[in-house]
Structures are given as structure tokens and as C-alpha cells.
Amino acid sequence: MNELVEQLRKAVAGPVLTVGDDGFADELAGFKTNVVHQPDLVVGITSAADAAAVVAAAAGTPIRVLATGHGLGTPVTEGIVITTSRLNGLSIDPATKIAHIEAGCRWADVIAAAAKHGLAPIAGASGNVGCIGLLLGGGFGPLARTYGLGSDWVRGFELVTGAGEVVTANATEHPDLFWALRGGKGGFGVVTSVDVELVELTTLYGGSVFFDAPEIDGVVRTWIDWTTTLPEAATTSAIILRLPPLPFIPEPLRGKTVVSVRFAYVGDPAEGEKLFAPIRAAGAVLIDLLGEMPASQIASIHNDPTEPTVSWDRGLLLDELDGDFADAYLGAVGPDQQVPMVAVELRHLGGAVSRDVPEGSAVGGRSGAYTLFMVGAPDPSLFETVLPAVAEQVLSSVQKWTSAVNTVNLADGFVLPGSYEACWPAETLARLAEVRSTYDPAGRFPYGPR
């Protein structure tokens, strides 16, 4: 390993660090501070040439990639980790509406740059998430029902393969790899940049509305019925929050259990307000943050945390919901239940999400009607046994509505048995394996359940 380290330090412009070196832990830090990586070596690349040099020098050593967003879901304890945070180039061609995004960029960077041209990316809910990781898994966002998944708007990737070759994958060059990278997630190489088509969007009717605990039952039931009537121009989610009594929480919400309904409507604000009226009428509103807003502020709809923290979560897809689901769901996580979950979210899918791109992609789970996502209390002593047990109870209560398929960005490291296989149909899994064997024949980039 010492020989490899010296070789890489000569070949790579970025840092090459081993355990004990200054900056080793910081280089590997992700959004989940409880996921601590201890590989043999971490290399911070500054270019595709750096990545190719790592692949060429480290024959026989497993390589994994850590970008800038929420990071790898399970600890890495061997081999090499390549970090891409120094690849932060971003350019936008307003004539073609194409954003060229290097692997170290987060969605907030792209949203801000696109807004200067009256454009917007089909991004995730959080501006803090890294662009590449979201796109490789598909990418649900606050405009998903209207515009589809983030990966549907990818027009090309630059990738360093397991053979150390720098290739472009798009509709005409390496189309098999292009298909796989739009939804197949990992195990193909190091994605160093992506070209994404933007949409013309300057404003939308969006935001969130909060209701206190006594209103949760009626609001959730209304929301479930209401989603069955919405046009594709509307995307929404409903999240039950158990908020701590801390100063950074807005005073009307501090220490309370509440439900927040998020909404994004692409169209006439007056029509958006009319569509949302049944939710406003479902209970007494604590805080109303809904209105016409610039597209540059779209991340405020979900207002996800931006600072790294200890975190535990579970996610899956649901089929169509009904009143019996509301009974089971509220009986498991409603305001009368004492559960160590700080957030339990339902997100409405369908619409453009359910339609694949004309040339096809590897995205799994398009048939899901809703997502269910749980975030546990940020107490690491609960992570090993308590939160998994509570999550299992919740999932058992809604088993009747649980989709047989999932999508990879919700699978979080494939910790549950069978979760890897559930993310793609069998034929897609087989085709992904073929593409991986073509571009990484020696299995340099391990991917899948451990």
C-alpha cells in the first residue's frame, strides 16, 4: 500500500490520504455523521485524468466514490474511496438549455445559476444533495409529477470506466451505458460530469402549510383523497413532524407534533390556489407559507436540513392509498402514538414519474403511487435496534399497500434483505449486470448489498 500511495501522489493533482494523515476524516465526511468511513486510502480527484490514474495504479483494489451530498449509506472499511468535491465546474448554455455539471456540484449551485437565465433544473427536494448521486438513482423532486425524474433530463455523462478509459455516454455514444447510468446507480466507474437539460421556469405556486396535532387526522385523510384528483401540474407531499423544543424551530411549531403539506403547481397561481383550497379547509392552519414563488427558491418547499448530522432513515414505495390505509398509517405514526420518528413523509407520485423516457432508462419503481419515508430520532443509541424495530412495526401496519418494487435512492445501503433486488425488475437487474461487466470487467467498483 505504501508503494501505491507514493505512486498516486505523483500521478494525482488532488490529495492522497491514509488513516492518520491530517484531513483524512474530513475528506470522507458525508451528510450522515454517524456513517464513518475507514478505507485504506482516500483520493480527492480534480479531473477525469486523476480518476483514470487511480484506476490504472490500483489494480485489484476495490474503489468506491463519495460525492458531495448525502454520501455513502454504509461505512467503507477497505480499498480506495475517490472523492469528487473538487470537481465544481458549472456552466449553462441558455441557447440549448444545457447545464454542464461537474461531479462536485450540489443542486443549490445549479438552481441559482439556471435562474439567471429563466431556467430551472429538475432537481431533488434538497438543494444540499449532490447532483450526480441523485441522478444516478433517478431522482424524485418537488416537480416530479409535472416533469418526471431528474435522470429523465440527463443528456450525457462523462465516466471513467473500470478499465481506466474516459468515455462519454449519451444517446449515440455508449447508449447501453447511458441507459444504465440513468437509474442504475453504481458499479460502473467514476462519473466526473453530467449534461442536464433545463426547463423554462421562473415562478410557480408553491410552499408549505402547517397544521397542529389535533388537525393531523383530518388533514392526512383529506390529503390522501385530494391527491387522487390532482392534475400532473401539481406535486405534493404530507409529512408528520415531531419537533424538538429548540430555539431554531419557529415558535408556533416548537416542541409540537404537526403535519406539513407541501405543494408545487406549475401554472396560473390563481388556479394553484384554487386547487389547494381543500387542504386549507381541512383544519386550522398554524403557518401558511404557500404562494407564488421564484423557481430559484424551490428548495424552500421541503426546507430539508442543510447541516450534516447523525441520521437514520427508511424508505419505500406504496401503491394506491385509501381510507383503510389512513386508519393503519395514523394508528402507527399519528399524533397519539409515541414513536421515535422525527419525520414520516408521504410523497405523491404518478403523472410524469410513471412514464419512462422514449429511449428507455434503468430507473426502477416508476409504478409506485406514493413514497413512504421515515427519519428516526437523531440518537445513535436507537439506531441499532430501537428504530429498526419501530420501522418494522410501521411497515407491517401498511404492508397491504406496500409496493412490490422500490427505487434505489430510497433503499439506503440495501440494509434490508431483498432491498437490492426490489429496486429493479429482474430483466433490468440482468441488463445492469451485463453493462457493469462490459465497463468494469474486473469488478473494480463493487456495488450492491454487502
Side-chain angles (χ1 to χ4, degrees):
M1 183 58 68
N2 288 339
E3 183 179 340
L4 174 60
V5 171
E6 292 306 314
Q7 183 179 352
L8 287 175
R9 284 175 175 164
K10 294 176 182 177
V12 174
V16 178
L17 305 171
T18 61
V19 178
D21 287 339
D22 289 342
F24 179 83
D26 289 342
E27 190 70 22
L28 290 161
F31 188 81
K32 292 185 177 183
T33 59
N34 49 297
V35 178
V36 179
H37 305 296
Q38 286 276 320
D40 300 311
L41 188 63
V42 58
V43 181
I45 63 171
T46 64
S47 64
D50 277 357
V54 175
V55 174
T61 303
I63 301 171
R64 294 173 176 86
V65 183
L66 179 66
T68 57
H70 281 42
L72 299 165
T74 54
V76 176
T77 58
E78 59 167 359
I80 297 173
V81 170
I82 288 176
T83 59
T84 63
S85 60
R86 292 167 184 80
L87 296 175
N88 53 18
L90 169 63
S91 62
I92 293 175
D93 183 344
T96 62
K97 296 185 288 188
I98 297 295
H100 179 75
I101 306 166
E102 291 192 347
C105 293
R106 302 174 192 259
W107 283 113
D109 306 324
V110 184
I111 291 168
K116 297 175 182 178
H117 304 285
L119 303 170
I122 304 308
S126 170
N128 196 51
V129 168
C131 299
I132 298 298
L134 182 90
L135 295 173
L136 291 176
F140 296 132
L143 301 175
R145 283 176 44 80
T146 308
Y147 292 105
L149 302 177
S151 62
D152 296 343
W153 294 82
V154 174
R155 299 297 175 252
F157 295 91
E158 180 184 74
L159 177 99
V160 178
T161 71
E165 182 183 5
V166 181
V167 302
T168 296
N170 55 35
T172 57
E173 301 175 84
H174 304 287
D176 56 339
L177 182 59
F178 184 50
W179 169 87
L181 291 172
R182 290 202 286 180
K185 197 65 175 180
F188 306 100
V190 186
V191 175
T192 51
S193 68
V194 63
D195 290 335
V196 172
E197 184 177 348
L198 308 172
V199 301
E200 294 182 9
L201 186 67
T202 56
T203 63
L204 64 149
Y205 184 81
S208 56
V209 174
F210 293 82
F211 301 85
D212 207 346
E215 313 289 355
I216 289 176
D217 186 286
V219 169
V220 168
R221 293 179 189 277
T222 299
W223 182 85
I224 290 171
D225 291 341
W226 175 69
T227 58
T228 65
T229 70
L230 290 178
E232 291 189 6
T235 304
T236 183
S237 63
I239 184 168
I240 297 175
L241 298 164
R242 288 171 166 82
L243 298 167
L246 296 176
F248 67 86
I249 303 294
E251 195 280 329
L253 308 178
R254 197 172 299 160
K256 292 184 176 182
T257 296
V258 301
V259 64
S260 173
V261 176
R262 291 86 159 256
F263 186 64
Y265 177 74
V266 179
D268 179 13
E271 182 61 26
E273 184 174 12
K274 180 180 176 182
L275 278 173
F276 195 77
I279 298 298
R280 279 202 173 100
V285 174
L286 270 179
I287 299 178
D288 191 332
L289 302 174
L290 199 61
E292 188 172 8
M293 63 187 298
S296 61
Q297 298 301 312
I298 195 166
S300 68
I301 294 176
H302 283 240
N303 198 29
D304 284 351
T306 58
E307 295 300 320
T309 184
V310 293
S311 180
W312 183 99
D313 55 64
R314 286 283 185 276
L316 49 74
L317 297 178
L318 300 171
D319 295 327
E320 296 293 342
L321 307 184
D322 53 24
D324 289 341
F325 170 85
D327 292 340
Y329 178 72
L330 292 165
V333 299
D336 296 331
Q337 310 308 313
Q338 300 299 314
V339 290
M341 296 288 175
V342 296
V344 185
E345 179 197 61
L346 297 172
R347 193 178 298 193
H348 186 212
L349 303 180
V353 171
S354 62
R355 299 188 293 270
D356 200 359
V357 292
E359 64 273 25
S361 71
V363 171
R366 286 187 185 270
S367 61
Y370 299 81
T371 69
L372 169 60
F373 192 70
M374 297 176 281
V375 179
D379 180 353
S381 69
L382 305 178
F383 290 4
E384 194 69 29
T385 58
V386 174
L387 290 177
V390 172
E392 182 58 36
Q393 292 173 0
V394 175
L395 297 181
S396 177
S397 70
V398 300
Q399 180 62 42
K400 176 181 174 182
W401 298 271
T402 299
S403 176
V405 301
N406 200 2
T407 191
V408 65
N409 281 350
L410 293 179
D412 192 41
F414 312 119
V415 294
L416 298 178
S419 57
Y420 176 76
E421 293 80 6
C423 290
W424 298 276
E427 60 271 22
T428 302
L429 269 175
R431 186 176 172 189
L432 286 169
E434 291 178 4
V435 176
R436 287 190 179 101
S437 67
T438 298
Y439 292 94
D440 183 22
R444 306 290 304 283
F445 294 88
Y447 184 71
R450 297 188 185 180

